[in-house]
Coordinates of all heavy atoms in Angstrom, one line a residue:
M274 N -7.8 -6.9 -11.3 CA -7.2 -5.6 -11.7 C -8.2 -4.8 -12.6 O -9.0 -5.4 -13.4 CB -5.9 -5.9 -12.5 CG -4.8 -6.4 -11.6 SD -4.0 -5.2 -10.6 CE -3.2 -4.2 -11.8
E275 N -8.1 -3.5 -12.5 CA -8.8 -2.6 -13.4 C -7.9 -1.7 -14.2 O -6.7 -1.6 -13.8 CB -9.8 -1.8 -12.6 CG -10.9 -2.5 -11.9 CD -11.8 -1.6 -11.1 OE1 -12.6 -0.9 -11.7 OE2 -11.7 -1.6 -9.9
P276 N -8.3 -1.1 -15.3 CA -7.4 -0.2 -16.0 C -6.9 0.9 -15.0 O -7.7 1.4 -14.2 CB -8.4 0.4 -17.1 CG -9.4 -0.6 -17.3 CD -9.6 -1.2 -15.9
M277 N -5.7 1.3 -15.2 CA -5.1 2.3 -14.3 C -4.3 3.4 -15.2 O -3.8 3.1 -16.3 CB -4.0 1.7 -13.4 CG -4.7 0.7 -12.4 SD -3.6 0.3 -11.0 CE -2.2 -0.5 -11.9
L278 N -4.4 4.6 -14.7 CA -3.6 5.7 -15.4 C -2.9 6.5 -14.2 O -3.5 6.8 -13.2 CB -4.6 6.6 -16.1 CG -4.1 7.9 -16.7 CD1 -2.9 7.7 -17.7 CD2 -5.2 8.7 -17.4
C279 N -1.7 6.8 -14.5 CA -0.9 7.5 -13.4 C -1.5 9.0 -13.3 O -1.5 9.7 -14.3 CB 0.5 7.6 -13.8 SG 1.5 8.6 -12.6
P280 N -1.9 9.4 -12.1 CA -2.4 10.7 -11.9 C -1.4 11.8 -11.9 O -1.7 13.0 -12.0 CB -3.1 10.7 -10.5 CG -2.4 9.5 -9.8 CD -2.0 8.6 -10.9
A281 N -0.1 11.5 -11.9 CA 1.0 12.5 -12.0 C 1.4 12.7 -13.4 O 1.3 13.9 -13.9 CB 2.2 12.1 -11.1
C282 N 1.9 11.7 -14.1 CA 2.4 12.0 -15.5 C 1.3 11.9 -16.5 O 1.4 12.4 -17.6 CB 3.5 11.0 -15.8 SG 3.1 9.3 -15.9
K283 N 0.2 11.3 -16.2 CA -1.0 11.2 -17.0 C -0.8 10.6 -18.4 O -1.6 10.8 -19.3 CB -1.6 12.6 -17.2 CG -2.1 13.3 -15.9 CD -2.8 14.6 -16.2 CE -3.5 15.2 -14.9 NZ -2.5 15.6 -13.9
T284 N 0.3 9.8 -18.5 CA 0.5 9.2 -19.8 C 0.6 7.7 -19.6 O 0.3 6.9 -20.5 CB 1.8 9.7 -20.5 OG1 2.9 9.6 -19.6 CG2 1.6 11.1 -20.9
N285 N 1.1 7.3 -18.5 CA 1.4 5.8 -18.3 C 0.2 5.0 -17.9 O -0.4 5.3 -16.8 CB 2.5 5.7 -17.2 CG 2.8 4.2 -16.9 OD1 2.7 3.4 -17.8 ND2 3.1 3.9 -15.7
R286 N -0.2 4.1 -18.8 CA -1.3 3.2 -18.5 C -0.9 1.8 -18.4 O -1.7 0.9 -18.2 CB -2.4 3.3 -19.6 CG -3.1 4.7 -19.7 CD -4.0 4.7 -20.9 NE -4.6 6.0 -21.0 CZ -5.8 6.4 -20.5 NH1 -6.5 5.6 -19.7 NH2 -6.3 7.6 -20.7
T287 N 0.4 1.5 -18.6 CA 0.8 0.1 -18.8 C 1.9 -0.4 -17.9 O 1.9 -1.6 -17.5 CB 1.3 -0.1 -20.2 OG1 2.3 0.9 -20.5 CG2 0.1 0.1 -21.2
R288 N 2.8 0.5 -17.4 CA 3.9 0.0 -16.6 C 3.8 0.5 -15.2 O 3.9 1.7 -14.8 CB 5.2 0.6 -17.2 CG 5.5 0.3 -18.6 CD 6.1 -1.1 -18.7 NE 6.4 -1.5 -20.1 CZ 7.2 -2.4 -20.5 NH1 7.9 -3.1 -19.6 NH2 7.3 -2.7 -21.8
F289 N 3.7 -0.5 -14.3 CA 3.5 -0.2 -12.9 C 4.3 -1.2 -12.0 O 4.6 -2.3 -12.4 CB 2.0 -0.3 -12.5 CG 1.2 0.6 -13.3 CD1 0.4 0.1 -14.4 CD2 1.0 1.9 -12.9 CE1 -0.4 1.0 -15.1 CE2 0.2 2.8 -13.6 CZ -0.5 2.3 -14.7
N290 N 4.7 -0.8 -10.8 CA 5.2 -1.7 -9.8 C 4.1 -1.9 -8.7 O 3.7 -0.9 -8.1 CB 6.5 -1.1 -9.2 CG 7.6 -1.0 -10.1 OD1 7.9 -1.9 -10.9 ND2 8.3 0.1 -10.1
L291 N 3.6 -3.1 -8.6 CA 2.6 -3.4 -7.6 C 3.4 -3.7 -6.3 O 4.2 -4.5 -6.2 CB 1.8 -4.6 -8.0 CG 1.0 -4.4 -9.2 CD1 0.2 -5.7 -9.5 CD2 0.1 -3.2 -9.2
I292 N 3.0 -2.9 -5.2 CA 3.7 -3.1 -3.9 C 2.7 -3.7 -3.0 O 1.7 -3.1 -2.5 CB 4.1 -1.7 -3.4 CG1 4.9 -1.0 -4.4 CG2 4.8 -1.9 -2.1 CD1 5.0 0.5 -4.2
E293 N 2.9 -5.0 -2.7 CA 2.0 -5.7 -1.8 C 2.4 -5.4 -0.4 O 3.5 -5.5 0.0 CB 2.2 -7.3 -2.1 CG 1.0 -8.1 -1.8 CD 1.1 -9.5 -2.3 OE1 2.0 -9.7 -3.1 OE2 0.4 -10.3 -1.9
Q294 N 1.3 -5.0 0.3 CA 1.5 -4.6 1.7 C 1.6 -5.8 2.6 O 0.6 -6.5 2.7 CB 0.4 -3.7 2.2 CG 0.1 -2.5 1.4 CD 1.1 -1.3 1.6 OE1 2.2 -1.4 1.4 NE2 0.5 -0.2 2.1
N295 N 2.8 -6.0 3.2 CA 3.0 -7.2 4.0 C 3.0 -6.7 5.5 O 4.0 -6.3 6.0 CB 4.4 -7.8 3.6 CG 4.6 -9.1 4.4 OD1 3.7 -9.7 5.0 ND2 5.9 -9.5 4.5
V296 N 1.8 -6.9 6.1 CA 1.7 -6.3 7.4 C 2.2 -7.2 8.5 O 1.9 -8.4 8.6 CB 0.2 -6.1 7.7 CG1 0.0 -5.4 9.1 CG2 -0.4 -5.2 6.6
R297 N 3.1 -6.7 9.3 CA 3.7 -7.5 10.4 C 3.5 -6.7 11.7 O 4.3 -5.8 12.0 CB 5.2 -7.7 10.2 CG 5.5 -8.6 9.0 CD 7.0 -8.6 8.8 NE 7.8 -9.1 9.9 CZ 9.1 -9.0 10.0 NH1 9.8 -8.4 9.1 NH2 9.7 -9.5 11.1
P298 N 2.4 -7.0 12.5 CA 2.3 -6.3 13.8 C 3.4 -6.8 14.7 O 3.6 -8.0 14.9 CB 0.9 -6.9 14.3 CG 0.3 -7.6 13.1 CD 1.4 -8.0 12.2
V299 N 4.1 -5.8 15.3 CA 5.2 -6.2 16.2 C 5.2 -5.3 17.4 O 4.6 -4.2 17.5 CB 6.6 -5.9 15.5 CG1 6.7 -6.9 14.3 CG2 6.7 -4.5 15.0
K300 N 5.9 -5.7 18.5 CA 6.2 -4.9 19.6 C 7.7 -4.8 19.7 O 8.4 -5.8 19.6 CB 5.7 -5.6 20.9 CG 5.9 -4.8 22.1 CD 5.3 -5.6 23.3 CE 5.6 -4.8 24.6 NZ 5.2 -5.7 25.8
I301 N 8.2 -3.5 19.7 CA 9.7 -3.4 19.7 C 10.1 -2.8 21.1 O 9.4 -2.2 21.8 CB 10.1 -2.5 18.6 CG1 9.6 -1.0 18.8 CG2 9.7 -3.0 17.2 CD1 10.3 0.0 17.8
D302 N 11.4 -3.0 21.3 CA 12.0 -2.5 22.5 C 12.2 -1.0 22.3 O 12.8 -0.6 21.3 CB 13.3 -3.2 22.8 CG 14.0 -2.6 24.1 OD1 14.6 -1.6 24.0 OD2 13.9 -3.3 25.1
P303 N 11.8 -0.1 23.2 CA 11.8 1.4 22.9 C 13.3 1.9 22.9 O 13.6 2.9 22.3 CB 11.0 2.0 24.1 CG 11.0 0.9 25.1 CD 11.0 -0.4 24.4
Q304 N 14.2 1.2 23.6 CA 15.6 1.6 23.6 C 16.4 1.1 22.4 O 17.0 1.9 21.6 CB 16.3 1.2 24.9 CG 16.5 2.3 25.9 CD 15.4 2.4 26.9 OE1 15.0 1.3 27.4 NE2 14.8 3.5 27.1
S305 N 16.3 -0.2 22.2 CA 17.2 -0.8 21.2 C 16.5 -0.8 19.8 O 17.2 -0.9 18.8 CB 17.6 -2.2 21.6 OG 16.4 -3.0 21.5
G306 N 15.2 -0.8 19.8 CA 14.5 -0.9 18.5 C 14.3 -2.3 18.0 O 13.8 -2.6 16.9
S307 N 14.8 -3.3 18.8 CA 14.7 -4.7 18.3 C 13.3 -5.2 18.6 O 12.7 -4.8 19.5 CB 15.8 -5.5 19.0 OG 15.6 -5.5 20.4
I308 N 12.9 -6.2 17.8 CA 11.6 -6.7 17.9 C 11.5 -7.7 19.1 O 12.3 -8.6 19.2 CB 11.2 -7.5 16.6 CG1 11.0 -6.5 15.4 CG2 9.9 -8.3 16.8 CD1 10.8 -7.1 14.1
E309 N 10.6 -7.4 20.0 CA 10.4 -8.2 21.2 C 9.3 -9.3 20.9 O 9.4 -10.4 21.4 CB 9.9 -7.3 22.4 CG 11.0 -6.5 22.9 CD 10.6 -5.8 24.2 OE1 9.4 -5.5 24.4 OE2 11.5 -5.6 25.1
E310 N 8.2 -8.9 20.3 CA 7.2 -9.8 20.0 C 6.6 -9.6 18.6 O 6.5 -8.4 18.1 CB 6.0 -9.7 21.0 CG 6.2 -10.5 22.2 CD 5.0 -10.5 23.1 OE1 4.1 -11.3 22.8 OE2 4.8 -9.7 24.0
E311 N 6.3 -10.6 17.9 CA 5.6 -10.5 16.6 C 4.3 -11.2 16.6 O 4.2 -12.3 17.2 CB 6.5 -11.1 15.5 CG 6.1 -10.7 14.1 CD 7.3 -10.8 13.1 OE1 8.4 -11.0 13.5 OE2 7.0 -10.6 11.9
Y312 N 3.2 -10.5 16.2 CA 1.9 -11.0 16.3 C 1.3 -11.4 14.9 O 1.8 -11.0 13.9 CB 0.9 -9.9 16.9 CG 1.5 -9.3 18.2 CD1 2.1 -8.1 18.2 CD2 1.3 -10.0 19.4 CE1 2.5 -7.5 19.4 CE2 1.8 -9.5 20.5 CZ 2.4 -8.2 20.5 OH 2.8 -7.6 21.7
T313 N 0.3 -12.2 15.0 CA -0.5 -12.4 13.8 C -1.5 -11.2 13.8 O -1.6 -10.4 14.7 CB -1.3 -13.7 13.7 OG1 -2.3 -13.7 14.8 CG2 -0.4 -14.9 13.9
S314 N -2.4 -11.1 12.7 CA -3.3 -9.9 12.7 C -4.3 -10.0 13.7 O -5.0 -8.9 14.0 CB -3.9 -9.9 11.3 OG -4.5 -11.1 11.0
D315 N -4.6 -11.1 14.4 CA -5.7 -11.2 15.4 C -5.2 -11.1 16.8 O -6.0 -10.7 17.7 CB -6.4 -12.6 15.2 CG -6.9 -12.8 13.8 OD1 -7.3 -11.7 13.2 OD2 -6.9 -13.9 13.3
N316 N -4.0 -11.5 17.1 CA -3.7 -11.7 18.6 C -2.8 -10.6 19.2 O -2.2 -10.8 20.2 CB -3.0 -13.0 18.7 CG -1.5 -13.0 18.2 OD1 -1.1 -12.1 17.5 ND2 -0.8 -14.1 18.5
A317 N -2.8 -9.4 18.5 CA -2.0 -8.3 19.0 C -2.6 -7.6 20.3 O -1.9 -6.9 21.0 CB -1.7 -7.3 18.0
G318 N -3.8 -7.9 20.5 CA -4.5 -7.3 21.8 C -5.3 -6.1 21.5 O -5.2 -5.5 20.4
P319 N -6.0 -5.6 22.5 CA -7.0 -4.5 22.4 C -6.3 -3.2 22.2 O -7.0 -2.3 21.7 CB -7.8 -4.6 23.7 CG -6.9 -5.2 24.7 CD -6.1 -6.2 23.9
F320 N -5.1 -3.0 22.6 CA -4.4 -1.7 22.5 C -3.6 -1.5 21.2 O -2.9 -0.6 21.0 CB -3.5 -1.5 23.7 CG -4.3 -1.6 25.0 CD1 -4.0 -2.6 25.9 CD2 -5.3 -0.7 25.3 CE1 -4.7 -2.7 27.0 CE2 -6.0 -0.8 26.5 CZ -5.7 -1.8 27.3
H321 N -3.7 -2.6 20.3 CA -2.9 -2.6 19.1 C -3.9 -2.4 17.9 O -4.6 -3.3 17.6 CB -2.1 -3.9 19.0 CG -1.0 -3.8 17.9 ND1 0.3 -4.0 18.2 CD2 -1.1 -3.7 16.6 CE1 1.0 -4.0 17.1 NE2 0.1 -3.7 16.1
M322 N -3.9 -1.2 17.3 CA -4.8 -1.0 16.2 C -4.4 -1.8 15.0 O -3.2 -1.7 14.6 CB -4.8 0.5 15.9 CG -5.7 0.9 14.7 SD -5.6 2.6 14.2 CE -6.3 3.4 15.7
P323 N -5.3 -2.6 14.5 CA -4.9 -3.4 13.3 C -4.8 -2.5 12.0 O -5.4 -1.5 11.9 CB -6.1 -4.4 13.1 CG -7.3 -3.7 13.8 CD -6.7 -2.8 14.9
Y324 N -3.9 -3.0 11.1 CA -3.7 -2.2 9.9 C -5.0 -2.2 9.1 O -5.6 -3.2 8.9 CB -2.6 -2.9 9.1 CG -2.4 -2.2 7.7 CD1 -1.8 -1.0 7.7 CD2 -2.7 -2.8 6.6 CE1 -1.5 -0.4 6.5 CE2 -2.5 -2.2 5.3 CZ -1.9 -1.0 5.3 OH -1.7 -0.4 4.1
Q325 N -5.4 -1.0 8.6 CA -6.6 -0.9 7.9 C -6.4 -0.2 6.5 O -7.3 0.2 5.8 CB -7.6 0.0 8.7 CG -8.1 -0.8 9.9 CD -9.0 0.1 10.8 OE1 -8.7 1.2 11.0 NE2 -9.9 -0.6 11.4
G326 N -5.1 -0.1 6.1 CA -4.8 0.5 4.8 C -5.1 -0.4 3.7 O -5.5 -1.6 3.9
P327 N -4.7 0.0 2.5 CA -5.0 -0.8 1.3 C -4.0 -2.0 1.2 O -2.9 -2.0 1.8 CB -4.7 0.2 0.2 CG -3.7 1.2 0.8 CD -4.1 1.3 2.2
D328 N -4.5 -3.1 0.5 CA -3.6 -4.2 0.3 C -2.5 -4.0 -0.6 O -1.4 -4.6 -0.5 CB -4.5 -5.4 -0.3 CG -5.5 -5.9 0.7 OD1 -5.3 -5.7 1.9 OD2 -6.5 -6.5 0.3
Y329 N -2.7 -3.0 -1.5 CA -1.7 -2.7 -2.5 C -1.4 -1.2 -2.6 O -2.3 -0.4 -2.4 CB -2.1 -3.1 -3.9 CG -2.0 -4.6 -4.2 CD1 -3.2 -5.4 -4.1 CD2 -0.9 -5.2 -4.6 CE1 -3.1 -6.7 -4.4 CE2 -0.8 -6.5 -4.9 CZ -1.9 -7.3 -4.8 OH -1.8 -8.6 -5.0
R330 N -0.1 -0.9 -2.8 CA 0.2 0.4 -3.2 C 0.8 0.2 -4.6 O 1.2 -0.9 -5.0 CB 1.3 1.1 -2.3 CG 0.9 1.2 -0.9 CD 0.3 2.5 -0.6 NE 1.3 3.6 -0.5 CZ 1.0 4.9 -0.4 NH1 -0.2 5.3 -0.4 NH2 2.0 5.8 -0.4
V331 N 0.8 1.3 -5.4 CA 1.2 1.2 -6.8 C 2.3 2.3 -7.1 O 2.1 3.4 -6.7 CB 0.0 1.3 -7.8 CG1 0.5 1.3 -9.2 CG2 -1.0 0.2 -7.5
Q332 N 3.3 1.9 -7.7 CA 4.3 2.8 -8.2 C 4.2 2.9 -9.7 O 4.2 1.9 -10.4 CB 5.7 2.5 -7.8 CG 6.7 3.6 -8.3 CD 8.1 3.4 -7.8 OE1 8.6 2.2 -7.7 NE2 8.8 4.4 -7.4
C333 N 4.1 4.1 -10.2 CA 4.2 4.4 -11.7 C 5.6 4.1 -12.1 O 6.5 4.7 -11.6 CB 3.8 5.8 -12.0 SG 4.1 6.3 -13.7
A334 N 5.8 3.2 -13.1 CA 7.1 2.9 -13.5 C 7.7 3.9 -14.5 O 8.8 3.8 -15.0 CB 7.2 1.5 -14.1
A335 N 6.9 4.9 -14.8 CA 7.4 6.0 -15.7 C 7.9 7.1 -14.9 O 9.0 7.6 -15.2 CB 6.3 6.4 -16.7
C336 N 7.1 7.6 -14.0 CA 7.6 8.8 -13.2 C 7.9 8.5 -11.8 O 8.5 9.4 -11.1 CB 6.5 9.9 -13.3 SG 5.0 9.6 -12.2
G337 N 7.6 7.4 -11.3 CA 8.0 7.0 -9.9 C 7.0 7.3 -8.8 O 7.3 7.0 -7.6
L338 N 5.9 7.9 -9.1 CA 4.8 8.2 -8.1 C 4.4 7.0 -7.4 O 4.1 6.0 -8.1 CB 3.7 8.9 -8.8 CG 2.5 9.2 -7.8 CD1 2.7 10.5 -7.0 CD2 1.2 9.3 -8.6
V339 N 4.3 7.0 -6.1 CA 3.7 5.9 -5.3 C 2.4 6.4 -4.7 O 2.3 7.4 -4.0 CB 4.7 5.5 -4.2 CG1 4.0 4.4 -3.4 CG2 6.0 5.0 -4.8
E340 N 1.3 5.7 -5.0 CA 0.0 6.0 -4.5 C -0.8 4.8 -4.3 O -0.4 3.7 -4.6 CB -0.7 6.9 -5.5 CG -0.7 8.4 -5.1 CD -1.4 8.8 -3.8 OE1 -2.0 7.9 -3.2 OE2 -1.2 9.9 -3.4
N341 N -2.0 5.0 -3.6 CA -2.9 3.9 -3.5 C -3.5 3.5 -4.9 O -3.6 4.3 -5.7 CB -4.1 4.2 -2.6 CG -3.7 4.4 -1.2 OD1 -2.6 4.0 -0.8 ND2 -4.5 5.1 -0.4
M342 N -3.7 2.2 -5.0 CA -4.2 1.7 -6.3 C -5.5 2.4 -6.8 O -5.6 2.7 -8.0 CB -4.5 0.2 -6.2 CG -4.9 -0.4 -7.6 SD -5.2 -2.2 -7.4 CE -3.5 -2.8 -7.6
E343 N -6.3 2.8 -5.9 CA -7.6 3.4 -6.3 C -7.4 4.8 -6.9 O -8.2 5.2 -7.7 CB -8.6 3.5 -5.1 CG -8.1 4.5 -4.0 CD -9.3 4.7 -3.0 OE1 -10.3 4.1 -3.1 OE2 -9.0 5.4 -2.0
M344 N -6.3 5.5 -6.6 CA -6.0 6.7 -7.2 C -5.7 6.5 -8.7 O -6.1 7.3 -9.6 CB -4.7 7.4 -6.6 CG -4.9 7.8 -5.1 SD -6.1 9.2 -4.9 CE -5.1 10.5 -5.6
F345 N -5.0 5.5 -9.0 CA -4.7 5.1 -10.4 C -6.0 4.7 -11.2 O -6.2 5.1 -12.3 CB -3.7 4.0 -10.5 CG -2.3 4.5 -10.1 CD1 -1.9 4.5 -8.8 CD2 -1.3 4.8 -11.1 CE1 -0.6 5.0 -8.4 CE2 0.0 5.2 -10.7 CZ 0.3 5.3 -9.4
V346 N -6.8 3.9 -10.5 CA -8.0 3.4 -11.1 C -9.0 4.6 -11.4 O -9.6 4.7 -12.5 CB -8.7 2.4 -10.2 CG1 -10.1 2.0 -10.8 CG2 -7.8 1.1 -10.1
K347 N -9.1 5.5 -10.4 CA -10.0 6.6 -10.6 C -9.6 7.5 -11.7 O -10.4 8.0 -12.5 CB -10.1 7.5 -9.3 CG -11.1 7.0 -8.3 CD -11.1 7.9 -7.0 CE -12.0 7.3 -5.9 NZ -11.7 7.9 -4.7
M348 N -8.3 7.7 -11.8 CA -7.7 8.5 -12.9 C -8.1 7.9 -14.3 O -8.4 8.6 -15.2 CB -6.2 8.7 -12.7 CG -5.6 9.7 -13.5 SD -6.1 11.4 -13.0 CE -5.6 12.3 -14.4
A349 N -7.9 6.6 -14.4 CA -8.2 5.9 -15.6 C -9.7 6.1 -16.0 O -10.1 6.2 -17.1 CB -7.9 4.4 -15.5
Q350 N -10.6 6.0 -14.9 CA -12.0 6.1 -15.2 C -12.4 7.5 -15.6 O -13.3 7.7 -16.4 CB -12.8 5.7 -13.9 CG -12.8 4.2 -13.6 CD -13.2 3.9 -12.2 OE1 -13.4 4.8 -11.4 NE2 -13.4 2.6 -12.0
S351 N -11.7 8.5 -15.1 CA -12.1 9.9 -15.5 C -11.4 10.3 -16.8 O -11.9 11.3 -17.4 CB -11.6 10.9 -14.3 OG -10.2 10.9 -14.3
Q352 N -10.4 9.6 -17.2 CA -9.8 10.0 -18.5 C -9.7 8.7 -19.4 O -8.7 8.2 -19.7 CB -8.3 10.4 -18.3 CG -8.2 11.5 -17.2 CD -7.6 12.8 -17.8 OE1 -6.8 12.8 -18.7 NE2 -8.1 13.9 -17.2
S353 N -10.9 8.3 -19.9 CA -10.9 7.1 -20.7 C -10.3 7.4 -22.0 O -10.2 8.5 -22.5 CB -12.4 6.7 -20.9 OG -13.2 7.7 -21.3
I354 N -9.7 6.4 -22.6 CA -8.9 6.5 -23.8 C -9.8 6.9 -25.0 O -10.9 6.4 -25.2 CB -8.3 5.1 -24.2 CG1 -7.4 4.7 -23.1 CG2 -7.5 5.2 -25.5 CD1 -6.9 3.2 -23.2
Ligands
ZN545 ZN1 3.5 8.5 -13.7

């Protein structure tokens, strides 16, 4: 972890909700929406783009903003205490 500062309220440096991205590659039925197949990250096949987003999202527990963790880290680096 690195120091973080909320880019929206610009005051919160201490209270956050860490949102761990739990990736579940699935194939669903187009009519019912029910899951037909669930894959691991490797076996979904060539037509299934693997998730490439961040491992974590972060919510500011003061104002509620949800952003990528790097947005909070960059803000802390540009506005040092
Ligand atoms: Zn905030």
Side-chain angles (χ1 to χ4, degrees):
M274 291 285 293
E275 293 182 72
M277 299 196 294
L278 170 62
C279 175
C282 64
K283 297 185 173 68
T284 53
N285 177 31
R286 293 174 185 272
T287 54
R288 301 275 178 164
F289 302 99
N290 294 316
L291 299 180
I292 307 160
E293 211 167 343
Q294 306 279 63
N295 182 18
V296 183
R297 292 172 61 192
V299 295
K300 182 180 177 189
I301 66 169
D302 184 280
Q304 256 91 50
S305 69
S307 59
I308 293 176
E309 288 189 325
E310 275 189 83
E311 196 155 352
Y312 307 102
T313 66
S314 53
D315 302 326
N316 73 351
F320 303 113
H321 193 120
M322 182 185 291
Y324 177 71
Q325 292 171 325
D328 292 339
Y329 284 97
R330 301 266 288 170
V331 176
Q332 181 174 42
C333 171
C336 75
L338 175 81
V339 178
E340 259 298 350
N341 293 343
M342 184 181 276
E343 68 172 0
M344 296 292 291
F345 288 83
V346 173
K347 274 182 187 163
M348 196 66 198
Q350 287 167 350
S351 68
Q352 309 244 325
S353 51
I354 301 168

